[in-house]
Amino acid sequence: ARIAGKLGIAGKEDVLEFVKATDQISVALTEDLGGDVEESINQIGKLVEIFNLKEEFGIEKSLLKVGSTINDLGAKSSASEEYLVAFAKQVAGIAPAAGISIQSIFGLASTLDQLGQTVEVSGTTFNDIIPSMFKDSATFARAAGMELSAFTNLLNTDANEAFIRVLEGIKGNNAGYGEMVLKLNALGVDGTRTMSVMNALAGKTAVLRAEQQIANEAFRQGTSLTNEYNIKNQTAAANMDRVKKAIYNMKVELGEK
């Protein structure tokens, strides 16, 4: 509840919803997010605010949806839950402005982590490439193999799909690689470093689409976090029962002796 206040969440109902949802986060995700309960809750709470989820889903559902997406991606791949949150935080200034959803960002982060790309370089690449796509749409339209008008329309309606189309277009295109490096340098972006990350993704667009599909489904259902919470609570309760039985048996044995 104190963290809710720090995040600007006010009113009895909203604070209660926040507490109910973050109780599940503290049990189900804290260990995967580095072990600091307060920091885990704070980070996920900030992401809900930054991506403007509360207005559409309410505070409790928003937290459960974000937590479920993180939990599902972490469970179904080698990606780290910590990486997902760190990447989402790093791109939180650009992604919402471009209309890219938090679940798409988590799916992208999962793919990048599986490819061995660092959070810092990956986040910088995303923060450079998305604005560049809007500034020099003609170059990126050519890279994607699309007409400029069609690419611009796609960029304005689904920037995530436009980004993936660019990745699919540059796969194995060595001539296009050189042009992109020069164009990015002209835009004030480190073209070589950016294209290194882009090329890694270009070879794995099928994985990226699959990870984003997992993220979208987990977000839509919003139940993975609750399921994990219940499993961990049941495990804890079972462990407590075993301890109680062991203590009881020891008492009986000592009494007999």
Side-chain angles (χ1 to χ4, degrees), residues 108 111-112 115 163 167 196-206 208:
L108 173 59
T111 307
L112 286 162
L115 293 173
F163 175 68
L167 293 174
S196 174
V197 176
M198 294 286 282
N199 267 340
L201 282 169
K204 297 292 182 180
T205 52
L208 173 55

Side-chain angles (χ1 to χ4, degrees), residues 4-234:
K6 283 185 173 184
L7 292 172
I9 296 167
K12 181 179 177 181
E13 289 305 314
D14 279 354
V15 172
L16 180 59
E17 285 190 8
F18 183 88
V19 170
K20 286 166 64 181
T22 54
D23 176 41
Q24 295 188 32
I25 290 170
S26 70
V27 171
L29 280 179
T30 293
E31 186 179 343
D32 298 317
L33 293 175
D36 187 327
V37 174
E38 182 167 339
E39 183 60 20
S40 300
I41 293 170
N42 195 39
Q43 287 181 358
I44 294 177
K46 283 181 178 177
L47 289 175
V48 165
E49 291 293 318
I50 292 167
F51 281 85
N52 302 311
L53 301 175
K54 180 184 170 185
E55 289 74 14
E56 184 176 355
F57 302 107
I59 190 65
E60 184 175 6
K61 279 189 177 180
S62 297
L63 288 163
L64 293 178
K65 283 176 177 293
V66 170
S68 292
T69 308
I70 295 168
N71 186 65
D72 234 24
L73 286 168
K76 293 179 179 177
S77 74
S78 60
S80 154
E81 290 87 347
E82 275 190 277
Y83 188 107
L84 302 182
V85 173
F87 181 81
K89 281 174 60 184
Q90 190 157 342
V91 303
I94 296 294
I100 299 176
S101 69
I102 192 169
Q103 53 269 41
S104 293
I105 291 300
F106 281 144
L108 173 59
S110 178
T111 307
L112 286 162
D113 193 17
Q114 291 177 60
L115 293 173
Q117 303 295 312
T118 66
V119 171
E120 293 75 18
V121 173
S122 298
T124 301
T125 295
F126 181 90
N127 288 337
D128 286 338
I129 208 76
I130 297 300
S132 298
M133 287 168 61
F134 284 92
K135 288 178 187 174
D136 189 3
S137 298
T139 295
F140 286 92
R142 285 196 299 275
M146 296 176 65
E147 293 292 329
L148 177 57
S149 59
F151 181 79
T152 302
N153 181 62
L154 180 62
L155 186 60
N156 289 326
T157 55
D158 190 348
N160 176 68
E161 180 61 27
F163 175 68
I164 297 176
R165 295 285 187 92
V166 170
L167 293 174
E168 290 171 342
I170 65 175
K171 181 180 179 182
N173 185 353
N174 294 328
Y177 177 91
E179 181 193 6
M180 289 290 288
V181 169
L182 292 173
K183 289 287 187 179
L184 289 169
N185 287 338
L187 291 169
V189 174
D190 185 341
T192 302
R193 184 180 65 177
T194 298
M195 288 307 294
S196 174
V197 176
M198 294 286 282
N199 267 340
L201 282 169
K204 297 292 182 180
T205 52
V207 174
L208 173 55
R209 288 190 183 278
E211 291 299 301
Q212 289 188 336
Q213 186 174 351
I214 291 171
N216 283 322
E217 184 60 20
F219 186 89
R220 185 187 67 78
Q221 292 183 1
T223 56
S224 176
L225 184 72
T226 302
N227 294 338
E228 182 74 11
Y229 170 82
N230 289 335
I231 288 169
K232 288 193 173 181
N233 273 341
Q234 287 164 7

